[in-house]
Amino acid sequence: MIERMFHIMTFGCQMNANDSDWLRRSLFSRGFTEAEKPEDASVFILNTCSVREKPEQKVYSLLGRIQNMTQGREDVLVAVGGCVAQQVGRGFFNRFRQVRLVFGTDGLASAPQALDRLTEETQLRMSLLDFSDEYPEKEQDWTDGEVPAAGFVNIMQGCDNFCAYCIVPYTRGRQKSRSTAAILEECRAMAARGTRDITLLGQNVNSFGQDAHGDGTSFAELLHSVADTEGLLRLRFVTSHPKDIADEVIEAFGSRTNICPRLHLPMQSGSDEVLRRMGRKYDMARYRSIVDKLRAARPDLQLTTDIIVGFPGETEDDFQQTLAAAREIGFAQSFSFNYSDRPGTKAEMLADKVSKEVMQDRLQRYQDWQSEYTEQVLQSMVGKTVDVLFEGMSRRQTGQMVPETPDSPKGTAGTADAGDMREAAGQQAPAGGETWQGRDVYGQLVHVRLPEGMNMQGKCMSVRICEAKKHSLTGEGVGDPW
Ligand code: 5AD
Ligand code: SF4
């Protein structure tokens, strides 16, 4: 029997983060506990990502580190899940004796039962790698604990787009929409527990319902139904593919006040030629017309984006078009990446690969522009009064270590977290006061000093912004919480 104390390491996108949160809750409900320090754990779970870089190497080196850390211990069980597990599969069993479970994205739903069994049957190994036909509905067991102010709800799995550079359709499989009834029930239950900000998650949320598993509900219809959830203050969704965003969704930004005025709309490149070779199925004229319609519907809208530099064949002129489009549109934040060859994708086979040096130089120029622009956006908030939804105390005071972001992809501009945390750590609690952190409607992190003993978790307050830092804002509360 292996002790049921686990440690989870998560890499990659918000989907993975959400999957890990679900796994954590499900394990709690089965009597597992989470180790305070990794070395105390007996069950290690790696939730992996393969969208860029050399993710396999990263996973192997982590597995090596776990092996070293637990040397001489027989009571250790390692599980590898997520996109790398889907690709490498049972190959992990040959290289690492401690790995006794591999699970893919559709296998996650059964991972808790598998872990349960593996802690008892210590000679057993299991793999959960099959793609299921239907959206793999997961049990929703909540143990009593802190209710997060902001939460995530999965609405679909997989992707059918096969953008030339992307591995996701291979690792997460074809698109499978979740049933509207299950989504609405999860949102209702979350809001009833006290979650006030919900983000709907999917690889391409705008094509929700348009697959063999859809129940006829369009994304715009789903959005309106979720927006009606009692007690729901803020609604967001990621990720939107520009080719699929319907006019009805754009209109919803204008008509539903609880849909937050911020949209992530990956542009990838500002050059029509590169977009064509990427297989994105829109050109810049279409992208710009969507932006115009969105801003007409919601003048206070902020846009964020994903950018790939150095896609095969990208010229300096193509890159200049990306930079010019980003400046013109004025993205509040970008996640920008060097192109990375992924095995089995169409782009891997393309000629004219851009050299590392050229790629890095372009990325740097893009990120320099973005950092400066993001600072301006934050600076423009100073003096304004905004509604902040509080998520917890600033980290320094809760005694938490300031974590390294394990998954901050190299070459990412505007990944707020690493900077946010450093800034949070730098916040000094004044004598007799406490610093709380929350987010405004745009999702910007705001730190506020408040009198000691106010429990602001999950509460809102009007805050006058006094100062903008590189990645966050500081303000003072005005009026009463609600
Ligand atoms: N190389 C670089 N960036 C990539 N992305 C996806 N695949 C690759 C790749 N092969 C980026 C895209 C996508 C984001 C999630 O990751 O910008 O929108
Ligand atoms: Fe990848 Fe394109 Fe699907 Fe996004 S839409 S997950 S980039 S294939």
Side-chain angles (χ1 to χ4, degrees):
M1 174 86 185
I2 286 179
E3 197 193 357
R4 295 171 166 222
M5 189 172 285
F6 67 89
H7 176 65
I8 303 189
M9 285 161 274
T10 309
F11 301 89
C13 64
Q14 192 54 56
M15 303 270 229
N16 268 16
N18 195 40
D19 285 351
S20 287
D21 280 349
W22 174 81
L23 191 54
R24 192 175 276 119
R25 287 201 304 274
S26 179
L27 289 174
F28 287 153
S29 74
R30 285 163 194 276
F32 283 73
T33 52
E34 192 160 18
E36 289 203 356
K37 297 194 291 290
E39 56 271 31
D40 295 339
S42 301
V43 178
F44 292 85
I45 304 159
L46 271 60
N47 197 0
T48 63
C49 166
S50 57
V51 86
R52 283 174 297 271
E53 315 276 330
K54 296 198 174 63
E56 257 180 73
Q57 267 60 35
K58 193 149 93 179
V59 175
Y60 291 145
S61 92
L62 256 176
L63 288 170
R65 269 167 49 197
I66 294 172
Q67 220 164 29
N68 289 341
M69 188 171 76
T70 58
Q71 223 155 27
R73 283 175 57 184
E74 283 302 316
D75 64 331
V76 173
L77 154 61
V78 179
V80 186
C83 291
V84 180
Q86 192 76 59
Q87 284 174 287
V88 177
R90 301 176 65 89
F92 280 115
F93 293 159
N94 305 330
R95 290 190 57 170
F96 293 91
R97 197 177 49 87
Q98 293 175 320
V99 176
R100 290 176 42 227
L101 172 66
V102 287
F103 59 95
T105 43
D106 285 2
L108 171 74
S110 324
Q113 289 95 309
L115 286 166
D116 230 350
R117 197 166 155 202
L118 290 165
T119 55
E120 282 169 12
E121 298 176 49
T122 54
Q123 299 309 310
L124 196 67
R125 284 180 141 169
M126 291 173 82
S127 59
L128 305 167
L129 297 167
D130 288 345
F131 284 114
S132 54
D133 272 347
E134 301 293 322
Y135 177 90
E137 203 52 61
K138 297 190 277 292
E139 63 194 19
Q140 298 295 336
D141 279 340
W142 280 80
T143 41
D144 295 338
E146 201 168 80
V147 176
F152 297 87
V153 173
N154 249 320
I155 67 165
M156 68 208 313
Q157 189 114 298
C159 182
D160 285 344
N161 284 323
F162 290 93
C163 297
Y165 49 81
C166 189
I167 200 159
V168 165
Y170 307 94
T171 56
R172 289 196 170 253
R174 292 307 88 73
Q175 180 177 310
K176 295 190 285 262
S177 294
R178 190 176 179 194
S179 88
T180 307
I183 296 167
L184 293 180
E185 173 50 27
E186 190 175 347
C187 292
R188 191 206 54 76
M190 281 172 86
R193 271 194 307 271
T195 293
R196 302 175 83 182
D197 176 328
I198 289 181
T199 302
L200 303 178
L201 281 182
Q203 226 71 48
N204 182 13
V205 291
N206 286 277
S207 61
F208 172 80
Q210 291 162 33
D211 52 78
H213 312 274
D215 59 11
T217 309
S218 71
F219 182 59
E221 288 162 348
L222 180 74
L223 209 49
H224 281 290
S225 303
V226 177
D228 284 335
T229 305
E230 203 179 322
L232 186 64
L233 203 64
R234 294 177 177 181
L235 174 57
R236 315 166 196 274
F237 52 91
V238 278
T239 293
S240 295
H241 193 306
K243 82 175 166 59
D244 293 315
I245 192 157
D247 285 345
E248 292 78 9
V249 172
I250 297 177
E251 281 157 21
F253 272 100
S255 62
R256 307 298 304 225
T257 47
N258 61 353
I259 297 184
C260 292
R262 175 134 155 162
L263 179 68
H264 187 63
L265 196 64
M267 183 174 85
Q268 311 295 1
S269 167
S271 151
D272 286 346
E273 179 49 29
V274 173
L275 288 172
R276 191 186 60 73
R277 273 183 289 121
M278 284 177 166
R280 290 289 287 175
K281 303 191 179 76
Y282 55 85
D283 58 14
M284 284 310 292
R286 168 129 171 79
Y287 190 92
R288 286 189 171 93
S289 84
I290 296 167
V291 171
D292 291 344
K293 281 198 255 180
L294 281 162
R295 288 197 165 137
R298 193 76 180 255
D300 58 343
L301 187 85
Q302 283 188 1
L303 285 161
T304 60
T305 203
D306 287 346
I307 297 290
I308 298 177
V309 304
F311 186 78
E314 185 192 70
T315 62
E316 176 62 23
D317 183 56
D318 290 322
F319 171 69
Q320 287 299 335
Q321 292 183 47
T322 300
L323 204 50
R327 283 177 199 273
E328 171 205 318
I329 294 163
F331 294 116
Q333 212 173 56
S334 299
F335 295 90
S336 51
F337 315 100
N338 280 334
Y339 166 77
S340 154
D341 256 344
R342 307 311 305 131
T345 60
K346 280 186 222 139
E348 190 197 13
M349 317 303 272
L350 292 176
D352 274 342
K353 294 278 157 68
V354 175
S355 77
K356 269 223 134 47
E357 294 71 33
V358 170
M359 218 154 31
Q360 193 49 43
D361 174 62
R362 288 180 190 164
L363 187 66
Q364 194 60 53
R365 282 185 279 153
Y366 186 86
Q367 295 186 346
D368 286 347
W369 166 75
Q370 185 66 70
S371 304
E372 208 175 292
Y373 192 77
T374 301
E375 272 190 71
Q376 283 177 31
V377 173
L378 289 178
Q379 208 66 52
S380 72
M381 300 302 291
V382 175
K384 291 193 177 143
T385 299
V386 300
D387 289 346
V388 173
L389 172 59
F390 288 92
E391 295 178 350
M393 281 208 208
S394 292
R395 282 180 174 77
R396 167 63 66 87
Q397 299 161 120
T398 55
Q400 280 180 22
M401 295 217 315
V402 178
E404 291 287 315
T405 42
D407 59 337
S408 52
K410 277 205 190 75
T412 301
T415 43
D417 287 354
D420 290 346
M421 288 177 189
R422 276 191 299 275
E423 282 175 12
Q427 293 278 321
Q428 293 300 326
E434 286 166 340
T435 305
W436 283 81
Q437 65 178 36
R439 295 187 187 265
D440 68 7
V441 282
Y442 296 112
Q444 299 290 7
L445 198 64
V446 184
H447 300 286
V448 185
R449 291 170 176 182
L450 291 166
E452 210 163 311
M454 284 176 82
N455 183 5
M456 293 301 291
Q457 167 73 32
K459 299 222 176 87
C460 265
M461 194 182 228
S462 288
V463 171
R464 189 166 31 246
I465 303 299
C466 313
E467 197 189 345
K469 304 210 169 169
K470 218 172 157 51
H471 301 278
S472 64
L473 300 165
T474 307
E476 53 191 27
V478 283
D480 295 327
W482 72 87

